[in-house]
Amino acid sequence: MVGLHSRKAGQAFRTGAIVIAGLLAAVTSWDGVMAASQPQKVVELFTSQGCSSCPPADELAERLVEEDDNVLTVLMPVDYWDYLGWKDTLASPVYSQRQRAYAARRGDRSVYTPQMVINGEEHVVGSREGQVRSALERSEPFTAEVDLEISDMVVQATVDGALPIGAKMATVYFLRIDDEATVDIGRGENAGRKIKYVNVVRNLQPIGMWSGGSETFRMTKSQLDLKGDARCAIFIQIEDQDGPGRIIGAAVMDWRGGF
């Protein structure tokens, strides 16, 4: 009888421990203390559904997303090829302008698709895998750490670190990302193709300016159009009168509505 009582007591203890652990996890999630990864490299692919050269770059972007959590790869579809007969269903003029701003800052006027920009600086043809991977290897390490949290009401990003020498200010950008979209293209250069896109940026919005040290930035989810399920990211990017430059910090996490 003593042995039976001991076994029952042990089972009760284990069951209680599991319940308590589950409650703690639920409370943690509700409070917004969710684990966010901090990639050390960022790839922006400027792509278009109306560009026949883009599908190989879109496929490379998918491979990068799948194979390396240390690299955050996002797609920013542009709209300047819409006149060729197909209006890109994911494109935004905001991303076209961002690509042009990068080119203006570099001084090379290189605006094309598919183009990958590594950490806001070096650009390469997005379908040339060897060049993309070489550029990733050359990229400089981040100087800022980002802790991203999402609660029932608020998105919070805590940034800590230092600006690179010569930089005075960095913009804190919030990104809302669709993890996947498949598009049947009806006209234009890719007519008849069904193309899969991953990590498509749907909203790019500045939420503050950072000048070094430790600082926390908060915005309500309603201001950031964060509804339902979404992948969220933060970029810390050097920016001045010449436009956007080097990305020096990032964080990414999935948010599931209602946790």
Side-chain angles (χ1 to χ4, degrees), residues 15-256:
T15 301
I18 291 170
V19 171
I20 291 171
L23 289 172
L24 287 174
V27 170
T28 298
S29 297
W30 182 258
D31 287 342
V33 187
M34 301 290 288
S37 63
Q38 294 197 35
Q40 295 302 305
K41 302 172 191 292
V42 170
V43 176
E44 297 170 73
L45 170 59
F46 295 94
T47 184
S48 172
Q49 295 169 14
C51 166
S52 61
S53 300
C54 284
D58 301 324
E59 293 171 3
L60 174 56
E62 183 178 2
R63 291 198 298 276
L64 291 175
V65 169
E66 292 175 347
E67 71 184 28
D68 194 348
D69 290 338
N70 196 46
V71 178
L72 174 56
T73 302
V74 297
L75 270 59
M76 296 196 180
V78 298
D79 65 349
Y80 49 76
W81 296 127
D82 286 359
Y83 76 93
L84 294 177
W86 176 256
K87 185 175 180 179
D88 193 304
T89 61
L90 301 171
S92 168
V94 172
Y95 311 143
S96 301
Q97 179 54 39
R98 181 174 174 84
Q99 187 185 24
R100 294 187 185 102
Y102 274 144
R105 185 184 181 98
R106 294 191 307 263
D108 57 21
R109 298 185 178 182
S110 293
V111 176
Y112 58 89
T113 56
Q115 183 183 57
M116 286 188 178
V117 177
I118 315 300
N119 284 0
E121 294 188 307
E122 184 175 358
H123 72 95
V124 292
V125 177
S127 56
R128 297 178 182 173
E129 185 167 353
Q131 292 183 12
V132 171
R133 295 189 184 278
S134 294
L136 283 168
E137 291 177 1
R138 287 192 296 271
S139 61
E140 297 185 48
F142 286 167
T143 64
E145 294 186 357
V146 185
D147 181 24
L148 174 60
E149 298 179 6
I150 303 176
S151 71
D152 184 45
M153 296 293 293
V154 175
V155 174
Q156 174 176 298
T158 300
V159 186
D160 195 9
L163 292 166
I165 295 174
K168 297 180 179 179
M169 196 72 66
T171 303
V172 182
Y173 281 105
F174 172 84
L175 297 83
R176 180 171 58 82
I177 301 168
D178 282 348
D179 59 355
E180 185 176 315
T182 301
V183 180
D184 290 306
I185 299 177
R187 296 185 301 278
E189 293 187 352
N190 289 314
R193 301 189 65 167
K194 178 181 287 188
I195 300 179
K196 179 181 177 183
Y197 300 94
V198 297
N199 275 7
V200 182
V201 178
R202 305 301 288 158
N203 184 33
L204 174 68
Q205 181 174 341
I207 63 172
M209 301 296 293
W210 179 68
S211 56
S214 181
E215 189 171 355
T216 298
F217 303 86
R218 298 181 181 89
M219 292 192 76
T220 62
K221 293 209 305 277
S222 59
Q223 285 179 283
L224 299 173
D225 193 26
L226 183 53
K227 304 171 184 176
D229 294 351
R231 180 164 294 155
C232 308
I234 296 289
F235 286 177
I236 312 301
Q237 185 164 32
I238 302 299
E239 196 155 7
D240 55 27
Q241 66 273 11
D242 295 324
R246 178 180 163 192
I247 294 173
I248 59 171
V252 62
M253 68 180 294
D254 288 349
W255 178 74
R256 296 294 176 249

